[in-house]
């Protein structure tokens, strides 16, 4: 995903491309592009993956932008599907979305690598649960915590 694509998604959703938004999208791409130690996660061209970042990491990397502004931009990007918010113990992390359709996440507990996956069988189970209960399914989030292949090899 490129800077221009993130900016275009914001623009298409009706957001003005302010200087803080451009800086934040650039920082998000920097934070999610490479492993801190330079290793590639899940060294496979067939797997589209990203790395997570925390809101505090983003705040630290953009000191000229206020915290509230950064959190609003994160919410905007999450709302339009450009990034995904993954709730984990003790908070949340974010990752770039690599899938335009509803998806789930494989999350490496060691390096923070995230892979977007679609599980049709799980979606079918969710529909069955919804139809068998007196509830209306609004949304769900599935995060599977694992070790990526690269971390397993170490």
């Amino acid at each position: 995903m490129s800077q221009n694509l993130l900016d275009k998604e914001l623009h298409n959703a009706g957001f003005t491309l302010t200087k803080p938004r451009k800086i934040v999208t650039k920082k998000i791409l920097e934070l999610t592009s490479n492993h801190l130690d330079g290793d590639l996660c899940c060294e496979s061209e067939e797997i589209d993956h990203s790395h997570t970042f925390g809101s505090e990491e983003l705040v630290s990397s953009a000191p000229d932008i206020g915290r509230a502004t950064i959190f609003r931009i994160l919410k905007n990007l999450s709302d339009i599907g450009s990034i995904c918010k993954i709730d984990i113990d003790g908070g949340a992390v974010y990752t770039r979305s690599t899938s335009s359709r509803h998806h789930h996440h494989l999350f490496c507990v060691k390096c923070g690598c995230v892979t977007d996956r679609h599980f049709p069988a799980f979606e079918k189970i969710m529909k069955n649960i919804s139809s068998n209960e007196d509830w209306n399914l609004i949304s769900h989030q599935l995060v599977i915590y694992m070790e990526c292949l690269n971390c397993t090899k170490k």
Side-chain angles (χ1 to χ4, degrees):
M1 182 176 287
S2 70
Q3 170 87 33
N4 292 339
L5 184 57
L6 270 179
D7 290 344
K8 185 176 180 179
E9 288 174 349
L10 279 167
H11 178 74
N12 289 344
F15 294 100
T16 305
L17 294 177
T18 62
K19 185 176 179 180
R21 284 194 181 107
K22 288 183 178 184
I23 292 169
V24 168
T25 57
K26 181 180 180 195
K27 295 295 181 184
I28 287 171
L29 293 173
E30 289 172 6
L31 291 170
T32 58
S33 293
N34 297 308
H35 235 327
L36 293 175
D37 61 5
D39 287 343
L40 289 176
C41 168
C42 311
E43 296 171 349
S44 170
E45 294 176 14
E46 300 165 12
I47 299 175
D48 199 359
H49 59 272
S50 182
H51 296 281
T52 58
F53 64 94
S55 54
E56 293 304 319
E57 191 176 6
L58 188 56
V59 168
S60 296
S61 72
D64 296 337
I65 302 173
R67 289 175 67 81
T69 300
I70 289 175
F71 278 91
R72 272 193 305 277
I73 295 168
L74 286 173
K75 182 175 180 345
N76 297 152
L77 288 166
S78 180
D79 288 348
I80 65 173
S82 297
I83 62 173
C84 294
K85 179 180 177 183
I86 301 172
D87 296 313
I88 58 171
D89 291 337
V93 293
Y94 296 86
T95 185
R96 289 181 306 176
S97 182
T98 58
S99 176
S100 60
R101 62 183 178 169
H102 179 77
H103 59 274
H104 304 102
H105 299 103
L106 302 180
F107 177 81
C108 180
V109 297
K110 287 196 173 180
C111 72
C113 172
V114 175
T115 301
D116 295 350
R117 291 296 171 89
H118 181 69
F119 299 114
F122 181 75
E123 295 301 324
K124 195 173 189 179
I125 290 169
M126 293 306 298
K127 285 181 183 177
N128 286 339
I129 290 170
S130 181
S131 65
N132 292 331
E133 300 292 329
D134 291 332
W135 293 78
N136 183 27
L137 179 65
I138 304 299
S139 180
H140 67 273
Q141 182 183 60
L142 175 65
V143 179
I144 301 172
Y145 301 91
M146 307 176 83
E147 285 185 14
C148 71
L149 293 178
N150 196 37
C151 288
T152 303
K153 290 178 189 176
K154 290 181 181 178

